[in-house]
Amino acid sequence: MPASPTPRAVIPFLRRYGLAAVVFLLILALTLDNYRSAIHDEADATRERFRQIAQEQAYHLRQRTDNLVREADVLARQLAFAPDESRAHFGEIVAPLLSRQPEIRRLGTLRLQPGGATPGAFASFTIADTTLPPGLDDNLQRAATHPSSIATEPYPITRPDGTPGTALLILSPITRQPLPPFKADEVLFIEVAVDPLIDQALRASFSREIQRRLDLEIVDSTTVEHVVYRSPGFRIGSSSFADSISVADRQWLLIATADRIIETLDPSQEAGAQLFSGLSLGSLAAFILYVLQTRAEAIRRQVDEKTLALGDANASLEQYVQALGETNRLLESEVEKHARSESLLRETTTLQRAILDCAEYAIVYTDSSGVIRVMNPAAERLFGYRADELIGVQTPLIFHTPEDIARWTLAQRVSGFAAVAAAAENSGTREITLRRRDGSSFPANLSISEVQDTHHQVRGYLGIVADITQRHDAERRIRHLAHYDSLTSLPNRTLLGNHLADVIASARERQRRAAVLFTDLDRFKYVNDTLGHHAGDELLLAVAQRLRTCVRDGDLVARTGGDEFVIVLGNLDEGSVPQDIASRILTSLAEPFVLHGRRFTITLSIGIALYPNDGLDGAALIKNADAAMYLAKERGRNNFQYFDHGLSERFSERLEIENRLRHAIDDQQFVLFYQPQVDTLSGELIGMEALIRWRQPDGSMVPPDTFIPIAEESGLIVPIGAWVLREACRQNQAWQQEGLGRVPVGVNLSARQFDDAGLLDNIQSALAESGLPPAYLDLELTESLVMRNPEHTRSVLAECRKLGLQLSVDDFGTGYSSLSNLKRFPIDRLKIDRSFIDEIVTQADDAAIAQTIVAMAHTLRLEVIAEGVETDAQLALLRRWRCDAYQGYLCSRPLSAADMTQMLRTRRATREISLAVA
Ligand code: C2E
Ligand code: CA
Ligand code: CA
């Protein structure tokens, strides 16, 4: 018999290339391992970033839903007080609301009547148009007596493009009564379509790329879980994140999964370079070895030739063997014919075998009495047995727990395997616990199907098992995430909502009071910025612990967001006042924390809302405590404030202002004031900031803080901002041409403007119309605007840079960024926020922060301007720190254009005189 050709060819091959190949493979393996761990690290970083993104997403969605609920409240209140004739104009008032919020499908009122609801007085959009949401009447009855807006469960709708979607109603009682008990006979409804809602919220926070890959699920978890929204292909994965959102009186749970983002993550250039250099090194080493080996090979070849000659002698012997083979082959072809049919059979079996072998799921086949016949490799791995140990053995006791078998035996009235088979017959796939060889158990999905022969006799059972441990873990994690904060393990917003509902119910029953304390750390981000996120996390943990020591047993401390904690004090009797606890918290925080060997003090601001005076449900109490907290911040931080009903009247005021703002541009009611910016050392004018004012028909001036936020929310800021750009450029160019001053003008941009696609066009046409060289236009962007959507910011700023504009970061120190983050953007200047400058003389912390900002900005080659300088003492410090310039009342208040012209003239005159004297 001739030796098979394979080993003969393989040996010289190995001899020649073997060592080189081994070295190459070794280096390849090391490189790949390195590469994999680099990719892994990147995925970790992405996961962390995703967590922040998802939190931001929940935040935006929460803001959007809060906004809708607030609008419903305000509209309902306006309707309640509106005289009938003005109701006729209601359509005009809500028209902008509808156009700016695409998620609002319909809006109108419904009158409650014994026979069911009918369209109300304001019926230009009626709910009778098309589908009625299920359970509408019950919801209307509930809304009619509810102290604030309520929301319904999500229900299915058909979207304008014909695809299925979801919507919900927000219902508000129309009543003049401030507090229950009341029963409104008319209810305002806003029908909100979920898809555009999510769309709008996503658009605010993410790049399109991320939007496409982010998997989201939102469930209404108030009672039974209803899916509100689910992106196609959503599944819970290793990177899932959950947060809760309250929508009026309902709770939503938002679950976001970034697995697709992480899976499709492109390896970074660094990892790629590492891989490339590893591969090159491997190839080089292999090549050198190969050259060395080929020399040895030449010698070896001579020896082989000699051996070959010897081999010829053997050839005649082989001819004889061949003849013998010929005879054999004739015989074989006969046998083959018979075998062919058999081989066909074998082929099918092999195919089945192959399928079984590669299957990911464990597959076990038993005969009709439960004796194991087939077990695939996945089953061997899963259960920890070798197939040959189990084939021929009787199940069920091997895989199932005795308890399960006992249960099925009871239920099916048969025992042993028959019970399993009978149980299987009645159900499709089900979740059960299975056992491994080592006795450990795991959750699995099991499906058992009968295998019948052609006569419909049961021949056996096919069991398919999927290990669902991972899914269970993910679900458990999500469930924990859904109720507890992962950093501090304190209850989160959802649990807070449930607890608060219980506290309110019991307070109502026992005629007691309860309180909600909303706290927010003051300037927490500085810890993050100066000491890093880890230290920030440690501080939050330490604060959480202190807060817990300040409350009584049974009171709840929850963490509801970054540095926000909410405390619920239930069951307050007359003697105990929440302010005792608030003071205790403030005192307890006065004691410094020690982080990384450094002592650190942090303060917080507290807002307090009381049940029943300030709200009758949890959402209202939290909202009002939050409003009170803002009051505490306004009043200098590190204090507490009670909610006061005046705070909610501000909402109605807003709507009023918005209506008047619409006419202000056309009526030319806006003017620009200019505030000088001067060099700290020489006092020389280096620039000016344009600040808008709204002149009322009666001559009074409305400050921007009152109307800019409303203009932003309503989108009116876009045309207003375009006007500011034009006017500032025009005026600056006019001064320059008069020879009055060649300094740039700073123009404030708001977020809405920044996102507007027409921004660059507006800037270019303002420059072109006025003839102002671009270097004299300085755009001021707040740091929170810059950090909100860094990718978008970077690309817009790069465009501005190309135009030749100057860029400043405004209100630095109030946003969420650190200086090192800002380094990534092409900016020229930082403006330190007024709130720090305020207290640099009296507060050592503020002084340290401001000084650090100046020093760090200089190392990043950024210019620094201090805002709001009012005293000589402040200026002296800024000079000492080498802060470049300042702006503030010390030098000048913002001036009207006429006053500014005057000042520029006298300045020029003064300079001319001093030059003449010199
Ligand atoms: P900002 O950009 O931080 O402007 C500086 C504010 O500080 C101005 O308030 C200015 O009058 C005030 N200020 C300057 N020096 C001092 C000082 O020494 N002490 C005190 N207490 N205050 C000082 P103003 O003019 O009321 O503007 C408020 C905000 O409104 C601005 O803050 C800016 O964010 C916004 N704003 C003003 N004009 C525009 C505009 O045209 N477009 C946009 N989007 N926002 C604007
Ligand atoms: Ca500014
Ligand atoms: Ca500012």
Side-chain angles (χ1 to χ4, degrees):
M1 280 285 286
S4 104
T6 345
R8 250 205 256 158
V10 163
I11 289 162
F13 177 88
L14 274 184
R15 209 182 282 143
R16 189 183 289 194
Y17 300 109
L19 188 56
V22 168
V23 168
F24 178 74
L25 288 178
L26 207 67
I27 294 180
L28 181 71
L30 285 173
T31 311
L32 285 179
D33 191 51
N34 245 339
Y35 177 67
R36 202 176 323 121
S37 73
I39 297 276
H40 196 75
D41 287 350
E42 278 178 24
D44 276 352
T46 310
R47 215 167 279 139
E48 173 55 25
R49 210 184 61 150
F50 161 73
R51 200 177 54 81
Q52 289 172 1
I53 290 179
Q55 241 163 358
E56 202 183 313
Q57 157 64 16
Y59 168 78
H60 280 286
L61 186 58
R62 199 173 294 132
Q63 278 212 321
R64 238 179 140 88
T65 51
D66 280 356
N67 207 16
L68 283 164
V69 172
R70 202 167 56 214
E71 273 161 357
D73 280 343
V74 172
L75 281 177
R77 182 112 64 97
Q78 288 213 329
L79 268 184
F81 287 96
D84 280 346
E85 64 274 21
S86 80
R87 278 186 162 218
H89 297 290
F90 207 66
E92 284 166 34
I93 297 185
V94 300
L97 203 72
L98 292 172
S99 70
R100 138 176 128 230
Q101 275 156 297
E103 65 267 35
I104 302 187
R105 263 165 58 96
R106 287 180 281 174
L107 192 159
T109 68
L110 287 168
R111 205 174 276 289
L112 271 64
Q113 250 140 26
T118 59
F122 163 51
S124 50
F125 305 78
T126 70
I127 205 147
D129 285 353
T130 48
T131 42
L132 279 174
L136 177 65
D137 278 328
D138 288 347
N139 278 317
L140 284 174
Q141 295 299 340
R142 199 157 63 87
T145 55
H146 205 269
S148 50
S149 297
I150 66 163
T152 66
E153 294 168 355
Y155 53 85
I157 53 166
T158 308
R159 300 198 296 172
D161 62 2
T163 55
T166 335
L168 64 139
L169 291 179
I170 296 173
L171 301 171
S172 287
I174 300 179
T175 170
R176 294 188 176 202
Q177 228 65 46
L179 287 177
F182 57 68
K183 181 152 174 41
D185 53 6
E186 197 174 357
V187 169
L188 173 92
F189 72 86
I190 297 185
E191 185 177 42
V192 181
V194 172
D195 292 273
L197 175 73
I198 308 283
D199 228 48
Q200 295 288 324
L202 276 177
R203 195 170 299 161
S205 46
F206 299 134
S207 72
R208 196 159 294 278
E209 190 56 16
I210 293 186
Q211 280 178 40
R212 258 195 319 113
R213 298 220 195 113
L214 185 74
D215 287 325
L216 270 189
E217 184 184 60
I218 297 174
V219 287
D220 181 329
S221 57
T222 321
T223 44
V224 224
E225 292 198 351
H226 287 272
V227 175
V228 178
Y229 175 89
R230 176 182 285 152
S231 41
F234 170 85
R235 66 194 149 86
I236 287 177
S238 57
S239 63
S240 294
F241 166 90
D243 199 353
S244 66
I245 293 168
S246 35
V247 181
D249 59 334
R250 302 192 77 83
Q251 284 291 333
W252 288 4
L253 184 66
L254 175 141
I255 303 167
T257 295
D259 284 13
R260 275 200 300 145
I261 299 180
I262 291 165
E263 270 164 22
T264 53
L265 187 71
D266 283 335
S268 74
Q269 287 186 338
E270 254 163 67
Q274 233 179 50
L275 182 64
F276 179 73
S277 67
L279 288 177
S280 323
L281 185 70
S283 318
L284 188 67
F287 179 71
I288 293 172
L289 279 171
Y290 167 73
V291 171
L292 291 176
Q293 292 249 213
T294 26
R295 286 181 48 199
E297 183 67 13
I299 302 169
R300 209 174 292 132
R301 206 173 304 133
Q302 288 175 1
V303 178
D304 280 352
E305 276 161 18
K306 298 275 181 319
T307 320
L308 211 66
L310 207 68
D312 282 346
N314 280 336
S316 47
L317 199 66
E318 277 178 17
Q319 272 169 6
Y320 170 73
V321 176
Q322 234 165 28
L324 210 66
E326 207 59 46
T327 331
N328 263 340
R329 210 164 299 133
L330 276 171
L331 264 170
E332 271 172 17
S333 77
E334 255 327 284
V335 178
E336 207 174 300
K337 269 187 211 141
H338 292 283
R340 197 164 299 139
S341 58
E342 214 171 285
S343 105
L344 215 84
L345 192 71
R346 212 178 309 126
E347 239 167 64
T348 343
T349 327
T350 321
L351 194 66
Q352 280 172 356
R353 192 74 239 172
I355 294 172
L356 283 177
D357 284 355
C358 323
E360 229 181 284
Y361 295 118
I363 299 174
V364 176
Y365 175 70
T366 71
D367 65 14
S368 56
S369 61
V371 174
I372 297 175
R373 291 289 172 220
V374 177
M375 199 172 149
N376 73 342
E380 293 182 308
R381 284 194 298 274
L382 184 61
F383 292 105
Y385 295 97
R386 285 194 326 270
D388 59 10
E389 292 173 285
L390 287 192
I391 287 178
V393 176
Q394 175 91 32
T395 175
L397 263 171
I398 298 170
F399 305 131
H400 297 288
T401 58
E403 299 79 37
D404 275 347
I405 297 172
R407 198 151 41 79
W408 294 326
T409 307
L410 262 180
Q412 312 292 342
R413 294 171 210 281
V414 277
S415 64
F417 182 76
V420 181
E425 215 170 282
N426 301 331
S427 63
T429 305
R430 65 208 152 111
E431 264 186 51
I432 59 167
T433 305
L434 293 177
R435 283 197 308 176
R436 295 194 189 87
R437 178 184 209 148
D438 61 11
S440 59
S441 56
F442 62 96
N445 260 349
L446 170 67
S447 93
I448 298 182
S449 28
E450 279 180 5
V451 178
Q452 296 177 346
D453 62 14
T454 40
H455 309 293
H456 301 293
Q457 282 301 96
V458 174
R459 298 304 302 261
Y461 295 91
L462 190 65
I464 301 180
V465 182
D467 180 356
I468 52 171
T469 313
Q470 276 190 349
R471 204 187 80 202
H472 267 219
D473 286 350
E475 281 172 359
R476 198 170 320 120
R477 228 180 30 244
I478 289 289
R479 235 173 284 135
H480 185 82
L481 273 175
H483 287 110
Y484 292 92
D485 165 46
S486 53
L487 174 67
T488 61
S489 297
L490 289 180
N492 68 4
R493 199 184 295 273
T494 310
L495 202 53
L496 166 72
N498 299 347
H499 176 82
L500 197 49
D502 293 346
V503 165
I504 290 174
S506 112
R508 191 187 308 126
E509 220 163 81
R510 302 160 69 174
Q511 305 269 343
R512 291 278 182 106
R513 295 181 311 145
V516 171
L517 274 58
F518 199 110
T519 76
D520 185 290
L521 295 180
D522 300 328
R523 295 178 186 160
F524 168 66
K525 67 204 152 305
Y526 286 100
V527 183
N528 271 341
D529 284 0
T530 44
L531 299 182
H533 280 275
H534 284 297
D537 285 355
E538 273 176 46
L539 180 67
L540 285 172
L541 256 172
V543 169
Q545 274 158 8
R546 283 208 195 162
L547 288 179
R548 240 181 299 181
T549 61
C550 293
V551 300
R552 308 162 303 175
D553 281 349
D555 290 339
L556 181 97
V557 180
R559 178 170 177 229
T560 51
D563 57 346
E564 286 172 10
F565 296 90
V566 172
I567 298 162
V568 179
L569 310 176
N571 200 15
L572 292 175
D573 47 40
E574 283 310 318
S576 64
V577 270
Q579 73 200 51
D580 293 345
I581 293 200
S583 313
R584 200 182 306 160
I585 291 173
L586 295 176
T587 319
S588 127
L589 282 198
E591 187 68 25
F593 293 92
V594 179
L595 290 182
H596 296 260
R598 279 182 56 181
R599 284 156 69 82
F600 218 91
T601 27
I602 188 135
T603 57
L604 49 71
S605 304
I606 307 176
I608 307 175
L610 295 173
Y611 171 86
N613 301 22
D614 302 334
L616 293 174
D617 62 29
L621 285 172
I622 292 177
K623 195 167 72 184
N624 291 343
D626 188 5
M629 188 277 294
Y630 270 98
L631 199 63
K633 294 251 177 201
E634 272 175 29
R635 301 203 172 154
R637 309 189 172 99
N638 195 18
N639 69 79
F640 63 83
Q641 296 292 333
Y642 279 97
F643 174 73
D644 122 41
H645 281 275
L647 287 174
S648 73
E649 262 146 43
R650 291 193 194 167
F651 289 139
S652 312
E653 221 176 84
R654 277 180 98 86
L655 216 71
E656 163 78 23
I657 293 181
E658 185 181 326
N659 279 332
R660 284 197 289 125
L661 260 184
R662 291 184 190 285
H663 308 288
I665 296 188
D666 292 340
D667 299 351
Q668 302 187 329
Q669 292 174 349
F670 292 120
V671 280
L672 288 188
F673 272 48
Y674 298 89
Q675 187 174 36
Q677 299 168 334
V678 297
D679 188 292
T680 37
L681 292 176
S682 65
E684 196 186 331
L685 183 76
I686 59 126
M688 57 175 87
E689 177 175 3
L691 293 160
I692 194 168
R693 302 286 180 267
W694 182 12
R695 195 186 335 201
Q696 301 295 290
D698 65 6
S700 62
M701 290 283 189
V702 182
D705 289 335
T706 317
F707 69 88
I708 293 281
I710 301 174
E712 287 196 351
E713 222 165 79
S714 60
L716 285 168
I717 192 70
V718 174
I720 296 177
W723 175 84
V724 173
L725 273 168
R726 267 198 324 272
E727 174 58 16
C729 290
R730 187 200 61 74
Q731 179 64 69
N732 193 278
Q733 175 70 352
W735 280 325
Q736 297 209 21
Q737 284 182 333
E738 239 185 283
L740 285 178
R742 278 190 175 279
V743 293
V745 61
V747 170
N748 292 288
L749 283 194
S750 83
R752 270 301 252 281
Q753 260 176 296
F754 198 71
D755 293 342
D756 186 62
L759 175 70
L760 288 167
D761 283 347
N762 283 339
I763 294 174
Q764 274 171 309
S765 64
L767 290 171
E769 268 173 38
S770 61
L772 183 72
Y776 288 96
L777 178 59
D778 176 6
L779 299 183
E780 297 195 0
L781 305 106
T782 61
E783 76 165 303
S784 40
L785 189 163
V786 170
M787 299 315 299
R788 199 189 36 152
N789 186 346
E791 282 129 75
H792 174 65
T793 308
R794 210 190 331 241
S795 75
V796 177
L797 292 189
E799 291 295 318
C800 293
R801 191 23 76 87
K802 262 194 229 151
L803 290 180
L805 308 178
Q806 308 243 16
L807 299 170
S808 298
V809 173
D810 203 358
D811 302 349
F812 186 75
T814 55
Y816 299 93
S817 60
S818 61
L819 272 170
S820 46
N821 271 339
L822 283 176
K823 199 170 55 184
R824 300 183 289 149
F825 304 100
I827 50 177
D828 304 285
R829 192 170 302 108
L830 288 188
K831 302 185 73 178
I832 308 182
D833 191 59
R834 201 169 70 217
S835 56
F836 294 104
I837 305 301
D838 256 0
E839 296 186 298
I840 48 173
V841 178
T842 50
Q843 295 280 334
D845 277 0
D846 283 8
I849 290 167
Q851 188 178 3
T852 314
I853 294 178
V854 174
M856 283 176 72
H858 282 163
T859 60
L860 298 175
R861 297 186 197 295
L862 298 173
E863 214 176 273
V864 192
I865 296 196
E867 298 189 287
V869 178
E870 296 181 352
T871 66
D872 285 318
Q874 288 169 331
L875 180 57
L877 275 181
L878 292 167
R879 278 197 180 128
R880 185 168 341 135
W881 299 335
R882 307 238 166 276
C883 178
D884 303 279
Y886 78 94
Q887 180 180 342
Y889 296 170
L890 179 64
C891 165
S892 163
R893 290 190 173 254
L895 303 172
S896 68
D899 288 346
M900 189 61 163
T901 311
Q902 193 59 34
M903 197 205 82
L904 291 171
R905 285 219 174 95
T906 33
R907 252 181 191 260
R908 192 178 60 171
T910 328
R911 190 153 3 103
E912 274 161 7
I913 292 167
S914 65
L915 280 177
V917 169

